[in-house]
Each structure stands twice: as C-alpha cells, then as structure tokens.
Amino acid sequence: MKSSIVWTFLLALLPAGMATAEVYTWTDANGKKVYSDQPPPNVGAHRLNVRAQSAPQASAPQADRKAERKTDNKQVASDNAAVAAANAKVKAQNCKAAQANLSTLQLNGRIRLPGSTALASDAQRNELIRQAQKDVQTWCGK
C-alpha cells in the first residue's frame, strides 16, 4: 500500500506529456512490488495505465478554510509552548548537573580522569574545571 501511495504521488508530479510514458510492474526475488519504465529481461512484467488525473477542486468554502487554519495555528502554538516548557525543564536539569560537576571538581583536590583509574595532574584538573565552567555558562547563563 505504501508503494502505491508513493507511486500515485509521483504520478501527480509528472507533466502531462510524461504521464503517458510506459510503466511496468513486477515482483522481485524478495517479494517486493517494483515499478520501472523499463521491464527487466526474463521477468513477467505488467504494463500499467498511468494517465495523469486532474487535481480535485476545493470544495470547502473560504470561511471553513480560515477556521481550519485558525485551529491549526492554535494547535501549533500549543505544541510550541509544550516544546518550550520541555526545553526549559531540560535546560534546568543540565544547569543543575553542570553546577554540581563544577562544585565537585573545585572541592576535590584529587580527581580521577574520566574513564580511567589514573589521577589527574594539576594541569588536567584545571582543564576539567575550565570545561565545567563553560558548561555552567552554557546551561545556566541567560
């Protein structure tokens, strides 16, 4: 069914002269329906009638279309507000985690390198603190 929808959509995009081109369909070795303008040799391909159909006329009055757009706009605004609230919540969580990480790095003199059992040198510890400060600025800054 999905391929027939795609096929119908593609046919609607074809110019009128191209819509009369020959199109063939067959089932491949994997059992999938295949469409092409050239049939493969030694396969029982069937020729399809692919005349373009005219576009349907708009039947809804203009007032109805405006009401639908207003409803759509309200839904989009509602969705945007929900996304903004979720983003604010994630930002607050990330801010809190970044501040906790920075505090841990600043308070502990001996720090193990991430993913290792080795202790960080003073230069490595200072670099970790600088990165943690950047993270705090990113997530907690205005």
Side-chain angles (χ1 to χ4, degrees):
M1 170 141 174
K2 187 176 181 182
S3 64
S4 65
I5 292 172
V6 170
W7 184 247
T8 303
F9 177 74
L10 290 174
L11 284 178
L13 296 178
L14 289 174
M18 293 291 292
T20 59
E22 293 179 349
V23 176
Y24 298 89
T25 183
W26 66 92
T27 304
D28 69 5
N30 296 328
K32 292 186 178 181
K33 197 120 180 153
V34 179
Y35 298 91
S36 177
D37 62 343
Q38 298 176 351
N42 303 325
V43 172
H46 302 286
R47 185 170 183 237
L48 298 176
N49 180 5
V50 290
R51 285 190 228 170
Q53 298 176 355
S54 61
Q57 298 294 325
S59 59
Q62 189 169 355
D64 290 345
R65 288 192 302 266
K66 284 184 181 179
E68 288 174 12
R69 279 193 297 254
K70 284 183 182 179
T71 302
D72 290 345
N73 288 343
K74 286 180 183 177
Q75 182 63 42
V76 168
S78 173
D79 292 347
N80 286 344
V83 167
N87 285 343
K89 183 177 178 181
V90 169
K91 184 176 180 180
Q93 290 170 341
N94 288 344
C95 174
K96 187 176 179 180
Q99 288 172 332
N101 184 41
L102 177 60
S103 177
T104 299
L105 290 170
Q106 289 173 331
L107 294 176
N108 293 319
R110 304 192 115 206
I111 298 172
R112 296 209 184 272
L113 291 173
S116 173
T117 58
L119 292 176
S121 67
D122 287 341
Q124 291 170 324
R125 180 175 176 269
N126 289 336
E127 182 57 34
L128 290 171
I129 290 172
R130 274 193 292 278
Q131 183 58 50
Q133 289 169 334
K134 286 181 185 178
D135 293 343
V136 168
Q137 182 63 33
T138 298
W139 293 110
C140 304
K142 300 263 176 182

